[in-house]
């Protein structure tokens, strides 16, 4: 149905899922709890990529029903993308240290810095 | 072929940027750059999708113009509406907004699955099953998120419960699964449409029924869970679309969302099953305890005491968010600081109703970082502080959590506001907090209640201290 | 040449490479420097998986030359696997806190613990 | 089909376990479990590979028994030899051992590529190119690692250099690339074998020539780099074998190895290009500075002073590893502790010649964790300490790094041993350290040199304090 250069077998799909799931896990595992809400809306934004799936379905629609559902799908997906982005951006902008021109305690702002530990 | 390569590689770039963006979002310093990078990735991949117009199926070619038109209109409508809502929504309404956007994603995945199942494409068993599973998860996420939104937005005020509800939900779930199986086997049955349509209906209903009995206060956890659901649905639909970018983005969100949900539940001292099935958030929400010994004062008196104190620690809580009083609070604080009082903010990790809620609120009001302290950093300072001002917080300063093993919040670390020389509490009445338990702090000798809406009380306080002048 | 259930297009291969590279990057980025040597030998062990590629090549060898080179390949790969494992295991065993029965400073042993930071 | 699924899924499980294992290796607490998990993954995937015997090409079927026999023999020989070497190698020889094992992996990848290029399989252009690139990287890693081993093991003592070497290496590289291109185009040329064989030869030679001019002290960084190279080669060969497990494992190592190399270079205050091209590790290695003011003492006197001191901080360095004196050192320390002296070990992050070198050595000798301190934790204590005992360390205690902007090690944080009341230094003579710079500490008034091999000196010290008894 879509580009054959990206077609894959089920086993390969499992590999991709495994890698992606692992990536998601590692990337998030050290987020401080103050950032949970922006992170939630940020990842919400990312799954908005479903809009391109809906777009492809709509482009290939052959009946009124398909067009209607495809239209709804694209509308919802676009909302997810744009809404997720705007909301995340707004929230993160508040965390900008420059906002109050008081760059106080900058060392606390890098919670995950590499630290030489004792064995 | 060339077009296919371009589209395939655009997805590669986009998924790389998404992952980079998510990683960057793990620290406030890099987070803004991260979301911007992810945004460019999205723009790029959506633009590249239009290249697929050179590649559509022959049957769809007559509809080309209409389809493109519909696509562009839908894109514009969706993004304009959501962009406008996202720009204008108040910070306190953020959770319900995220719920809507998340539901939209789930709906989009479900719609995509529906289109796949509409046309009588000859889908083999495996992709067909994946499509249906994705549709199921997407539908639950869609309708569940909408209910979550309605609850958080105050449209549904009471959790809807009846006896045997759990059995009913289990039966509904079983029925949905049966319909899903029938849908997968549709090629074997003469009438293909009926089970499919029923399946979608049942899946949507399931999302509603799963969410209705859960208390409004538990919604943030639930939204995070549905976020992971949508991710999973997107990933699965990506497989049937042969689009690795969808698979990766979806799966990354699916797994990170699951982890995030678990972390949130843990920060609230709860387990996920507990959130989903025990309805703790609502039990005893209106129980009244002994009121006899509460001491009340009026705002002006309390404000004057603080004005002439040497040091004040402010403990904001959910009530501050409800009253939208963060600006007034900072106004009050600025006057105190100008008068030479040493003012600090103490923030409990789960104050409010979403993680980082108070940090977002105070940041919005313009409170600088260096006045805000974490629980661990400030807990020892209460004992040497003249006054603690508690605004709309309750559970996070409940000393019962330290002492009473029978208390539902036993074991949760709290802010030691009760140790301050003098404690002022701004709240509307004797309502309990999220956990529904009485707070013995309010009956302590050194505690003075200032009843009223936080916004109103703080306005009066500001007036009172302004009247005193800055001497 | 191998199983068709794992055959893939070039574009899909790029996706897998991208994910794997990213995974390697995130996984390592916070390792304390005291563990660099075991980590080096541990990742050395992991690329020993090449031995299964060499084995497959040897199994399908049709000429003496292929058999000879395949044999060498399997020998080298097996050495990589076993050597990498043994050496890593030996080094890590020394870091075991139980070895000296003095579990001192355990909090220092988790250098990457999540920490609630200030925005 | 069933066999194919089993093999494919075994690779999935194995690569998952590898990633898990690597992640676990980021903390000493979980590292052992991590490598064990990765080990099981490897066992599993190798075992499953034998299922492919049901699936070999028809042409190879007559050779089945021979091939299997060869495979089993090669597996046994390789793993027994490497297992024996790995078990028996001394801790101080670890870097060169890792170099060999790494070279073997690179060689295996190159051999795999060679088999692919031997048979006249009709490989399309793209996989063919990937094969050749993988072969190139694998060959460099093989021969380069062997040279690195020879250098670290003392088989090649001098860096081999001649004028115009850099130009020669560049030309060799260009020639190798040309041969690679010719190999890829071999189907178009009448004689296919010649460029291919030359290509392999040139690639191996390139690895040798790249590594020869680099100083022995820089070898750990280089080994880490070749480790990443092998990973990359494995990943690329995995693509042409259609084996995602190889691709993933190889690429994960390729990227993590690159990062690790960069981190190592950074910890040494160098850049990677600097390591590869500037030969810094050898310049001025034998320059002698002013010796006039060094004060020397014999081991017994120094030991007695420490025995009656209240506190001693021990700073181990590369010389301790060379002299293999860690056991003797700990023996000495135990006597001091028994006599009531407060003894601590101070470890600089880049003491020795590989990261964590000193931690591994002291752990091997059985020194408990709680006696070992990081630079940041102990640096303030030197000023209040009676004696600092520096054993075979030089650069890491060079105060010039703090003060002299012209020094090549300026900017590197050091252990402040120079602040101790009394400093003892055990070294063989006035040789400089890795960076080749003089150390003014040795000429300081409060510094006493105890010349000799660390092992010999410490033996004498042990005798001396034993003779004093425990009163
Ligand atoms: N942060 C998170 O991620 C998260 C998520 C979900 C749940 N939770 C839970 O939420 C709780 C948070 O504790 P908290 O101390 O912040 O809040 P809380 O315990 O829920 O208490 C809020 C208090 O604010 C008062 N209030 C409500 N509206 C007000 C207004 N307009 N003006 C003044 N006061 C008002 C209420 O008393 P009156 O009715 O008498 O005014 C109530 O006692 C914890 O139990 C936590 O586990 C946290
Ligand atoms: N850790 C890493 O990852 C790593 C990797 C590569 C390079 N480096 C570099 O290595 C250096 C490490 O500093 P360091 O202070 O540990 O060592 P160093 O500066 O290299 O000094 C070693 C000293 O040990 C003495 N020595 C040698 N053999 C001895 C023996 N048998 N008995 C007694 N003394 C002996 C030598 O002096 P005599 O000849 O007079 O005896 C020499 O001055 C740093 O410059 C660092 O950047 C570190």
């Amino acid at each position: 149905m879509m580009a054959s250069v990206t077609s894959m077998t089920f086993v390969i799909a499992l590999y991709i899922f495994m890698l992606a799931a692992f990536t998601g896990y590692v990337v998030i595992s050290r987020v401080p709890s103050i950032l949970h809400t922006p992170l939630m809306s940020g990842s919400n934004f990312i799954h908005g990529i479903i809009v391109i799936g809906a777009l492809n379905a709509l482009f290939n629609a052959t009946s009124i029903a398909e067009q209607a559902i495809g239209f709804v799908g694209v509308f919802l997906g676009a909302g997810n993308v744009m809404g997720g982005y705007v909301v995340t951006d707004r929230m993160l902008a508040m965390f900008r240290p420059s906002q109050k021109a008081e760059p106080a305690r900058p060392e606390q702002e890098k919670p995950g810095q590499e630290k030489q530990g004792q064995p | 072929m060339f077009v296919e390569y371009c589209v395939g590689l655009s997805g590669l770039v986009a998924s790389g940027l998404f992952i980079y963006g998510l990683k960057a979002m793990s620290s406030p310093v890099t987070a803004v750059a991260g979301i911007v990078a992810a945004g460019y990735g999205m723009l790029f991949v959506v633009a590249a999708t239009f290249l697929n117009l050179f590649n559509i199926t022959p049957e769809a070619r007559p509809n080309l113009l209409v389809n493109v038109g519909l696509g562009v209109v839908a894109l514009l409508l969706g993004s304009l509406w959501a962009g406008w809502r996202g720009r204008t929504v108040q910070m306190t309404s953020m959770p319900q907004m995220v719920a809507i956007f998340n539901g939209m994603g789930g709906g989009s995945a479900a719609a995509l699955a529906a289109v796949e199942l509409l046309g009588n494409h000859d889908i083999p068993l495996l992709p067909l099953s994946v499509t249906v599973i994705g549709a199921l998860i997407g539908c639950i996420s869609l309708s569940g998120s909408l209910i979550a939104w309605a609850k958080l937005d105050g449209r549904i005020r009471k959790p809807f419960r009846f006896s045997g509800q759990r059995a009913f939900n289990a039966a509904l779930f079983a029925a949905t699964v049966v319909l899903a199986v029938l849908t997968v086997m549709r090629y074997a049955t003469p009438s293909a449409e009926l089970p499919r349509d029923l399946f979608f209906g049942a899946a949507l209903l399931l999302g509603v029924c799963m969410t209705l009995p859960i208390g409004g206060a538990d919604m943030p956890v639930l939204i995070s869970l549905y976020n992971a659901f949508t991710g999973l649905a997107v990933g699965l639909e990506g497989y049937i679309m042969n689009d690795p970018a969808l698979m990766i983005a979806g799966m990354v969100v699916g797994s990170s969302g699951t982890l995030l949900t678990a972390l949130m539940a843990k920060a609230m001292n709860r387990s996920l099953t507990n959130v989903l099935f025990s309805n703790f958030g609502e039990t005893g929400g209106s129980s009244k305890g002994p009121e006899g010994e509460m001491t009340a004062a009026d705002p002006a008196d309390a404000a004057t005491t603080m004005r002439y104190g040497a040091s004040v620690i402010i403990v904001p809580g959910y009530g501050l968010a409800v009253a939208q009083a963060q600006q007034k609070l900072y106004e009050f604080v600025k006057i105190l600081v100008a008068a030479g009082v040493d003012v600090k903010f103490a923030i409990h990790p789960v104050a409010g109703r979403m993680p980082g809620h108070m940090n977002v609120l105070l940041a919005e009001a313009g409170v600088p970082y260096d006045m805000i302290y974490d629980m661990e950093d400030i807990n020892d300072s209460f004992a040497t502080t003249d006054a603690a001002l508690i605004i709309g917080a309750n559970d996070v300063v409940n000393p019962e959590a330290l002492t009473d093993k029978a208390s539902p919040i036993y074991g949760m670390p709290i802010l030691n506001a009760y140790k301050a020389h003098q404690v002022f509490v701004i709240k509307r009445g004797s309502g309990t907090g999220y956990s529904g338990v009485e707070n013995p702090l309010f009956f302590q000798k050194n505690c003075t209640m200032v009843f009223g809406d936080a916004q109103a009380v703080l306005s009066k306080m500001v007036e009172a201290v302004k009247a005193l002048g800055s001497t």
Side-chain angles (χ1 to χ4, degrees), chain B residues 340-402:
Chain B
V341 183
D342 174 26
V343 185
K344 289 173 180 153
F345 288 87
I347 299 206
H348 190 280
V350 297
R353 284 294 178 274
M354 55 183 193
H357 201 166
M358 291 301 127
N359 299 70
V360 173
L361 275 191
L362 295 182
E364 194 195 6
V367 178
Y369 288 156
D370 55 355
M371 295 183 75
I372 304 181
Y373 292 83
D374 277 346
M375 182 166 61
E376 308 95 74
D377 295 337
I378 203 162
N379 245 350
D380 294 336
S381 314
F382 279 106
T384 57
T385 295
D386 288 347
L389 174 61
I390 297 171
I391 305 172
N394 191 336
D395 296 342
V396 300
V397 291
N398 192 337
E400 221 175 70
L402 300 177

Side-chain angles (χ1 to χ4, degrees), chain B residues 216-423:
Chain B
D218 274 331
M219 283 305 136
V221 185
L222 212 63
I223 293 172
S224 177
L225 185 70
Y226 287 147
N227 191 30
F229 271 29
T230 305
L232 199 62
V234 170
L236 294 178
E237 299 304 329
Y239 168 64
I240 59 141
M241 298 294 283
N242 257 332
D243 191 334
L246 255 65
M247 292 167 64
I248 294 173
M251 218 34 152
V252 165
V253 174
S255 92
S256 66
T258 308
L259 180 62
L260 200 59
T261 311
L263 289 178
M264 275 171 86
K266 208 180 115 207
M268 289 166 58
N269 232 3
R270 317 257 324 256
S271 78
L272 198 54
T273 29
N274 187 267
V275 169
L276 285 178
F277 301 116
S278 89
N279 312 328
F280 152 92
E282 301 294 323
T283 48
S286 58
S287 81
K288 308 255 172 186
E291 292 192 33
E293 315 210 20
M294 279 193 192
T295 334
D298 79 37
D301 291 350
T304 309
T305 312
M306 286 184 271
R307 161 72 177 72
Y308 290 108
S311 54
V312 173
I313 296 179
I314 297 181
V315 179
Y318 176 60
L320 183 78
V322 174
Q324 293 265 45
Q326 63 271 27
Q327 304 280 0
K328 267 282 168 252
L329 172 62
Y330 189 41
E331 204 182 325
F332 177 59
V333 165
K334 277 190 283 196
I335 300 175
L336 290 188
V337 169
V341 183
D342 174 26
V343 185
K344 289 173 180 153
F345 288 87
I347 299 206
H348 190 280
V350 297
R353 284 294 178 274
M354 55 183 193
H357 201 166
M358 291 301 127
N359 299 70
V360 173
L361 275 191
L362 295 182
E364 194 195 6
V367 178
Y369 288 156
D370 55 355
M371 295 183 75
I372 304 181
Y373 292 83
D374 277 346
M375 182 166 61
E376 308 95 74
D377 295 337
I378 203 162
N379 245 350
D380 294 336
S381 314
F382 279 106
T384 57
T385 295
D386 288 347
L389 174 61
I390 297 171
I391 305 172
N394 191 336
D395 296 342
V396 300
V397 291
N398 192 337
E400 221 175 70
L402 300 177
T403 51
D404 184 356
K405 293 211 174 162
S407 168
I409 59 171
Y410 179 73
M412 180 168 105
I414 62 152
L415 286 164
N416 296 332
Y418 69 97
K419 287 189 179 164
H421 189 67
Q422 171 74 33
V423 181

Side-chain angles (χ1 to χ4, degrees), chain B residues 30 84 200 298 393 399 405 415 459:
Chain B
T30 51
W84 164 69
F200 275 96
D298 79 37
K405 293 211 174 162
L415 286 164
S459 300

Side-chain angles (χ1 to χ4, degrees), chain A residues 58-78:
Chain A
L58 178 56
F59 287 165
N60 290 294
T62 49
S63 66
I64 304 277
E66 286 184 17
Q67 287 176 327
I69 303 184
F71 180 84
V72 172
V74 174
F75 171 81
L76 292 175

